[in-house]
Amino acid sequence: MKPPPQPRSPEEELFRDALTRTADTLSPLPDLVPDAVREGRRRRARSRGLAVAGAFVAVTSVTLGAALLGPLVRPAPDTDPGAPAPGPSIT
């Protein structure tokens, strides 16, 4: 709840009157809301674009890395990892 208004002193009334007269001569301030909304939309679009580009780069690098390094990591098809190494036969 608001407290009840207190009676104002003559000095305060004089001060308020001077402030009001001074402010009346000033031009109205421009509305900054449309510019702020536009800037916010640009920032959001920019961050979404960077997120999409980052995801694309990540997926592409993983795919290319697997394609290029895959043959080096996989064992050759003619070797069996469980078989003994080929060597001289003792018979």
Side-chain angles (χ1 to χ4, degrees):
M1 291 186 132
K2 277 176 115 180
Q6 301 292 326
R8 295 184 179 147
S9 66
E11 292 86 13
E12 186 178 350
E13 288 294 329
L14 186 63
F15 183 70
R16 285 182 181 275
D17 184 47
L19 285 178
T20 304
R21 280 187 283 124
T22 303
D24 286 342
T25 60
L26 298 173
S27 62
L29 294 173
D31 187 13
L32 301 177
V33 172
D35 293 336
V37 169
R38 188 176 324 117
E39 184 65 25
R41 287 183 179 153
R42 284 181 185 163
R43 285 182 183 175
R44 243 178 284 131
R46 193 177 313 126
S47 67
R48 286 178 184 157
L50 287 174
V52 168
F56 176 77
V57 167
V59 168
T60 303
S61 63
V62 167
T63 305
L64 287 176
L68 294 175
L69 296 176
L72 298 176
V73 175
R74 278 185 270 143
D78 58 338
T79 62
D80 185 16
S89 170
I90 304 176
T91 51

